[in-house]
Amino acid sequence: MSRRSDVDGPALEGLMRGRRRCAWGVGLAVVVAACSSTPPVAVERADRSVGELTADTGPGLPDVGAERPPTADQEDPDPPVVEAPESTLEWGDCTPFEIPSPDVLGTSGWECATLGVPMDPFGVDATETDIGAESVDLALTRHPATGDRRGSILVNPGGPGGDGLTTAWGLRSELSTELLRGFDLVSWDPRGIGQSTPKIDCDDAVAPGDPDFIARCVDLTGPVSAYLAAPYSAADMEAIRVALGEDELNYLGYSYGTLLGATYAAEHPDRVGAFVLDGATDPLVGSPDGPREGGFPTLADDGLDASRERFTELCDASDRCLLGRNSSIVLDVVESSVQFLPTPNFDRNPETMSVGAFQEVVDLALTYAGDWELLATALSDADRGDASALASLSAGPVDETSEPGSGESDFTEANFMIYCADFASLLDPLTFCDAMPENAETLQPVQPVDVEQPLLVIGTEYDPLTPGYHAPAFAEALGDATSIIWEGVGHTAFPGWTPCIDDVVDGQFLGRPLPAAGTRCSFLFGVDDDETLGDELFGQGDVESERILEQRFGDEVDASDARCLAREINRESDRVISHVILDVTSDDAEAAFTEASANC
């Protein structure tokens, strides 16, 4: 049974993925493409290491201060400072690309550019001097290194359908100072997506899953429909490298982006620099032996059941989650009754919760554990007959720029179209993809590569969308790669959850040795029992919740008052803090806000 979509058709893993970390927490919006919320305020982070790093199991991590042994033609292992290479891109203002203000991003250093590439990079007109009559304009953004420059890191958010510009703007605040000082951070909206043109276009005249949906999208999107599969985006990555003037490509790819990275590495092994592939898919994707669900090919096995089981284990281990109630029973009871529950303390839609909306709220929370405190409060309230907090989670943050009834999100449209482009050859006749023009180049299984620097592959053990056990198989298929596992719940692991993961990724870009295959990193650093882990994951009143509250009040009062209100509210119970974050107007939350206002 799939809960990833309310539509008929394949269980497209990306339909939820693009909304990862889009609910109410200010955790990094790594895959913020389908979110309309603004990225978190950016602050350059200091060194995240907490003493000597140790792996929980397996061969272990290298010394974080060690440098990778020099190659035969590199006597000095310390890389020199790299001057910015000659680029053919004309970098300028990002305002046309709808970048949030520097006050939101914490930096005014972002630049944007457009790069024209052949619509068919494998065609006869695809030359450096003649991109042919039909071309694609890719939207790019970069933030130059703030210190001694080592190179660029190109970021892809996955999906498929995630836009890279929004991702990069939100990602920067979570990276270490060492990476920000050493590398230009670069990303792009893949062809058909976001600010790149021509754009995948559908409308709300035909719903996703309807037999005519893809036909309508193809009609509105035009010729680029025949050039959307993974190899075309991988070719665009090479065009970006050339335009940046870099001798090699450093790359950070999430989820579907791990396949783009593997595709690029197979096509351009001599141009592969430091690669980090986080949230690895099944390496057999694109072949008849790849994963399937309900008869449709998918990018990975379904990990929802395992991640949900781990959620309930940790909830039951902590007194801060559901106050001793069995979480599996609560989930079942609320699911069966939620459509009948009132939402008296939430004044936006939905006025009532459907079963499908409830399932989506729970499944989405499994992609980002930073929202578990909010989900626990919402479940507890609903167990007592009030679905207000659940309705708030379902509605998401207020988006002042959205227009109700504007149709399907860009992410959803792109996700379906690229799915059909990648998998049409593996679909049985008479499917909803029949109207999709044939993409001559389609997604292929992961191939062995021979590269100068081994690739780093990361899996999250309880990832509901790309289960962690795919990562070792993905690395084995690449050959020249090492995999590590984060023992967390959620979709992708880097950055911000644990220095065990963060420092390995930093080390990959900074030239340090990779850990041995089989290395595992705990959910949270220094926590080795479920009770403590549950208390941390389900408890408010910490630095993170105070930061969320400060942002919550930031649009209503000046900065000093927002800090004061956040500090006062953050002393309240977990339930009250969650209600204030979710804008649930319970009596307790209203009383707490009134008292906090008086004190500030």
Side-chain angles (χ1 to χ4, degrees):
M1 180 178 65
S2 172
R3 297 176 179 171
R4 294 175 182 155
S5 168
D6 289 330
V7 302
D8 295 329
L12 300 179
E13 49 82 30
L15 290 177
M16 285 175 54
R17 175 163 308 138
R19 298 170 52 194
R20 173 180 181 258
R21 302 182 180 185
C22 300
W24 290 96
V26 291
L28 167 67
V30 165
V31 193
V32 75
C35 302
S36 54
S37 55
T38 54
V41 173
V43 178
E44 281 196 12
R45 298 179 57 174
D47 188 355
R48 293 164 305 208
S49 300
V50 184
E52 182 179 355
L53 295 183
T54 58
D56 298 282
T57 59
L61 300 168
D63 180 351
V64 296
E67 296 286 349
R68 183 175 287 115
T71 58
D73 59 351
Q74 181 188 358
E75 294 183 1
D76 183 2
D78 295 324
V81 175
V82 179
E83 295 294 331
E86 191 69 28
S87 173
T88 60
L89 295 167
E90 296 183 6
W91 296 102
D93 183 29
C94 289
T95 301
F97 291 161
E98 301 177 3
I99 188 172
S101 72
D103 291 339
V104 173
L105 297 179
T107 173
S108 59
W110 287 104
E111 303 169 321
C112 289
T114 300
L115 173 64
V117 298
M119 186 171 288
D120 181 6
F122 304 100
V124 294
D125 291 332
T127 67
E128 292 184 10
T129 57
D130 179 11
I131 63 173
E134 295 179 319
S135 63
V136 171
D137 288 333
L138 301 176
L140 287 86
T141 192
R142 77 168 177 182
H143 195 292
T146 59
D148 293 339
R149 186 182 184 279
R150 292 171 175 251
S152 298
I153 298 174
L154 183 67
V155 180
N156 180 270
D163 78 90
L165 271 60
T166 306
T167 298
W169 297 335
L171 173 65
R172 187 179 182 276
S173 65
E174 294 294 320
L175 299 181
S176 68
T177 301
E178 196 170 12
L179 280 189
L180 296 177
R181 289 176 177 169
F183 293 92
D184 302 345
L185 189 64
V186 181
S187 191
W188 85 107
D189 285 353
R191 52 176 55 209
I193 296 167
Q195 301 293 337
S196 292
T197 57
K199 187 175 179 178
I200 292 171
D201 186 17
C202 306
D203 59 26
D204 55 4
V206 181
D210 187 286
D212 296 327
F213 176 73
I214 294 297
R216 179 64 173 165
C217 293
V218 170
D219 183 54
L220 293 174
T221 300
V224 77
S225 302
Y227 308 102
L228 293 173
Y232 299 100
S233 283
D236 292 343
M237 292 166 58
E238 173 63 3
I240 292 170
R241 180 198 66 79
V242 172
L244 290 172
E246 301 283 8
D247 291 333
E248 61 183 20
L249 184 71
N250 300 317
Y251 177 71
L252 171 60
Y254 293 99
S255 193
Y256 182 79
T258 65
L259 288 171
L260 296 185
T263 302
Y264 179 91
E267 290 293 323
H268 306 282
D270 57 329
R271 297 298 185 181
V272 172
F275 268 44
V276 176
L277 308 179
D278 186 1
T281 68
D282 189 314
L284 295 176
V285 165
S287 77
D289 298 324
R292 286 180 172 263
E293 184 175 333
F296 290 92
T298 61
L299 296 179
D301 293 339
D302 191 336
L304 279 169
D305 288 344
S307 59
R308 177 168 167 149
E309 182 177 349
R310 185 59 177 148
F311 168 86
T312 59
E313 288 176 351
L314 293 172
C315 180
D316 292 344
S318 171
D319 290 336
R320 303 187 76 167
C321 180
L322 301 182
L323 301 175
R325 288 272 282 149
N326 182 283
S327 56
S328 294
I329 293 176
V330 170
L331 284 165
D332 290 342
V333 168
V334 173
E335 182 170 342
S336 65
S337 63
V338 69
Q339 60 188 316
F340 307 110
L341 299 180
T343 58
N345 298 313
F346 183 64
D347 60 4
R348 292 191 284 128
N349 290 326
E351 294 182 358
T352 58
M353 287 284 290
S354 68
V355 173
F358 170 73
Q359 292 172 339
E360 185 175 287
V361 164
V362 174
D363 291 349
L364 183 57
L366 295 178
T367 68
Y368 177 52
D371 287 338
W372 284 9
E373 307 102 321
L374 305 177
L375 178 61
T377 294
L379 289 173
S380 181
D381 287 355
D383 190 38
R384 293 181 288 183
D386 182 355
S388 299
L390 280 176
S392 178
L393 282 171
S394 180
V398 176
D399 180 11
E400 302 293 347
T401 63
S402 65
E403 298 180 8
S406 59
E408 291 298 315
S409 69
D410 294 341
F411 177 84
T412 302
E413 297 166 357
N415 190 269
F416 271 94
M417 289 284 280
I418 297 172
Y419 175 90
C420 289
D422 278 330
F423 290 113
S425 63
L426 296 176
L427 292 169
D428 295 329
L430 303 178
T431 70
F432 70 95
C433 287
D434 285 349
M436 189 74 181
E438 179 182 0
N439 281 232
E441 303 291 331
T442 56
L443 181 63
Q444 298 297 311
V446 175
Q447 302 296 317
V449 297
D450 182 9
V451 294
E452 183 77 14
Q453 181 174 336
L455 288 70
L456 174 63
V457 181
I458 305 173
T460 296
E461 184 166 15
Y462 300 102
D463 190 322
L465 303 176
T466 53
Y469 56 76
H470 286 317
F474 199 100
E476 183 178 0
L478 287 168
D480 236 351
T482 292
S483 67
I484 62 175
I485 297 294
W486 175 49
E487 295 175 340
V489 181
H491 186 48
T492 72
F494 173 83
W497 279 109
T498 169
C500 182
I501 291 290
D502 289 350
D503 284 334
V504 170
V505 173
D506 284 4
Q508 172 73 338
F509 289 118
L510 296 168
R512 297 168 185 156
L514 284 174
T519 296
R520 299 173 67 85
C521 295
S522 60
F523 201 146
L524 296 179
F525 182 79
V527 179
D528 56 7
D529 67 282
D530 282 1
E531 181 179 358
T532 305
L533 183 56
D535 288 347
E536 290 289 332
L537 294 171
F538 291 102
Q540 300 277 21
D542 53 15
V543 173
E544 182 68 6
S545 60
E546 185 167 332
R547 185 167 68 143
I548 295 171
L549 288 165
E550 186 174 338
Q551 285 192 283
R552 162 74 173 78
F553 298 124
D555 293 334
E556 304 170 11
V557 298
D558 63 35
S560 61
D561 285 341
R563 285 192 295 272
C564 181
L565 287 170
R567 183 172 61 252
E568 293 292 320
I569 296 293
N570 205 41
R571 295 169 178 165
E572 299 288 340
S573 68
D574 294 340
R575 179 172 177 268
V576 167
I577 293 171
S578 293
H579 281 184
V580 174
I581 290 172
L582 292 171
D583 202 20
V584 169
T585 56
S586 63
D587 290 343
D588 290 342
E590 295 284 271
F593 181 77
T594 299
E595 183 178 352
S597 299
N599 292 337
C600 292

